[in-house]
Amino acid sequence: SGTEMMGALEGLEHLLAAQAKRGGSDPITTYISMTTDGRPERRAWWDTRKGPGSDSLTGQEVRLPDALGGDAITTSGLNYDANGNHRFLLNNVGKREWLQMQGRLNDTLDAIAAQAESAETQLQVSVVGMGDGTDADFPAIYADLFGERTFDPSKGGWDYDYFTSYALPDFVG
């Protein structure tokens, strides 16, 4: 889910920025729900791999539609080993794209929250990480990915929660 996750978050930020600019006198309610079933990584032959110990690949460009900002995604931006340790990846121009995206996304969410009468109820983000059948430590990966590296409501006062498939309640039936 590498390029897809990076592209989805970049596109989301673009849509939210347009919403924040519209403003208006009516309070806006925004609910964001995200589900993923893997780590934020691309296949090695598509992703940008530059720096010490890399194979110096240039990422294959995947362009977002114009309605989502038109950005050229060349890296997943963030990678995890099987133990849940993260590593930021550089894009084709040598920048840590994930950190830039995370900052813009949270700043935009904070701007929307500032327009709300009740940020905690009018701006809510919920994420579910499902894991997969590999030997990767998905609870550790999702704790870092969703607890530290993606959404951060600490400045804006909006509501955020994430769940993993390992913490979901059992279905009864």
Side-chain angles (χ1 to χ4, degrees), residues 95-147:
K95 294 188 177 177
R96 290 184 173 176
E97 189 78 16
W98 190 274
L99 294 172
Q100 293 176 352
M101 175 277 301
Q102 181 185 15
R104 287 189 315 268
L105 177 61
N106 285 289
D107 288 348
T108 301
L109 287 165
D110 293 344
I112 291 172
Q115 296 174 14
E117 291 176 6
S118 171
E120 190 173 308
T121 59
Q122 288 179 267
L123 177 53
Q124 298 180 15
V125 179
S126 180
V127 177
V128 176
M130 300 301 287
D132 68 8
T134 68
D135 61 351
D137 185 350
F138 276 98
I141 291 169
Y142 289 146
D144 186 72
L145 175 61
F146 298 128

Side-chain angles (χ1 to χ4, degrees), residues 78-99:
L78 182 62
N79 200 347
Y80 287 89
D81 65 18
N83 296 319
N85 300 306
H86 76 277
R87 177 173 65 113
F88 292 109
L89 301 175
L90 304 177
N91 64 13
N92 283 356
V93 295
K95 294 188 177 177
R96 290 184 173 176
E97 189 78 16
W98 190 274
L99 294 172

Side-chain angles (χ1 to χ4, degrees), residues 9-76:
L9 293 169
E10 287 277 0
L12 174 63
E13 189 278 325
H14 177 77
L15 293 174
L16 292 170
Q19 177 182 324
K21 286 178 186 173
R22 279 193 306 268
S25 59
D26 292 331
I28 297 172
T29 299
T30 304
Y31 298 119
I32 299 167
S33 181
M34 178 176 157
T35 303
T36 186
D37 67 350
R39 294 183 263 185
E41 60 186 359
R42 293 177 80 182
R43 301 291 181 243
W45 58 88
W46 280 31
D47 213 345
T48 299
R49 306 275 186 199
K50 296 183 179 199
S54 75
D55 52 16
S56 297
L57 289 177
T58 299
Q60 177 66 40
E61 178 180 295
V62 176
R63 188 165 292 284
L64 292 178
D66 289 341
L68 297 177
D71 297 4
I73 308 298
T74 61
T75 182
S76 57

